[in-house]
Amino acid sequence: MSIQRVRRRRRPRDPEEPSFEFLGKIWLLTVEKEGWRPPKGQRIVEIGPLPIVAGEECSAQYMEAILNPGMTSAIHDHAGPEAWYTLAGETCLETPEGKLVGRASGDPVIVRGGPPMLLTATGTKLRRALVLIFHQSSKPATTVVHDWTPKGLCKN
């Protein structure tokens, strides 16, 4: 995934390439080959590679996430990888394999699809992030699960 910041809203080169306003800026998010560059705009970050299955039909769900410190998600899973880029604050994601932490100005976070997870906005600042769930088209992007109990690795 490549995230670019563009100076003005422009028509994407195709309908699969979304641009939207978030935190007072216009963002262009693309799923492209490694190293791809847009003709205009400023590259902010390249995220990937995403752990996907070749030949599988996938859909992209892009989201902006704003959470107060201490807020948590429901325990859930995804039918494909989730990636996020933290612009402000901090996020901790617990899975059965351990925890992943995303911080402002830090590396993007990528988690494979499948395992149950619990996301917690940690730290003391409002968490703001751009999120992609690249899921199997035949399945919902997110499913709430009830058969896993987190160990509490992401306490605020």
Side-chain angles (χ1 to χ4, degrees):
M1 178 172 78
S2 183
I3 298 176
Q4 326 296 328
R5 186 171 65 211
V6 293
R7 295 192 186 282
R8 58 186 168 74
R9 185 174 301 275
R10 67 173 184 81
R11 189 179 179 101
R13 64 186 170 93
D14 69 47
E16 301 298 315
E17 187 176 276
S19 63
F20 61 92
E21 187 168 352
F22 180 60
L23 301 177
K25 298 179 171 99
I26 305 298
W27 298 84
L28 170 67
L29 283 72
T30 61
V31 176
E32 292 286 348
K33 293 180 183 175
E34 186 175 1
W36 178 85
R37 297 245 182 229
K40 295 182 179 180
Q42 173 190 0
R43 170 172 280 169
I44 304 302
V45 67
E46 182 172 303
I47 302 171
L50 298 175
I52 58 173
V53 177
E56 190 170 74
E57 186 174 331
C58 292
S59 297
Q61 180 180 35
Y62 296 98
M63 299 177 287
E64 51 189 36
I66 301 175
L67 299 171
N68 289 314
M71 289 179 75
T72 63
S73 68
I75 298 171
H76 64 283
D77 65 17
H78 297 298
E82 176 181 15
W84 76 80
Y85 178 65
T86 304
L87 293 132
E90 180 179 280
T91 307
C92 183
L93 181 79
E94 181 177 346
T95 71
E97 289 90 28
K99 70 178 184 177
L100 299 166
V101 178
R103 293 182 180 91
S105 303
D107 291 332
V109 174
I110 300 173
V111 61
R112 68 180 177 84
M117 58 189 75
L118 176 67
L119 182 133
T120 303
T122 51
T124 59
K125 295 183 179 179
L126 191 68
R127 182 254 187 163
R128 297 174 187 263
L130 296 171
V131 181
L132 164 66
I133 301 171
F134 199 69
H135 64 96
Q136 296 173 36
S137 296
S138 63
K139 297 182 179 177
T142 304
T143 303
V144 174
V145 297
H146 304 283
D147 59 353
W148 175 68
T149 301
K151 295 177 183 174
L153 302 177
C154 293
K155 295 187 181 190
N156 195 14

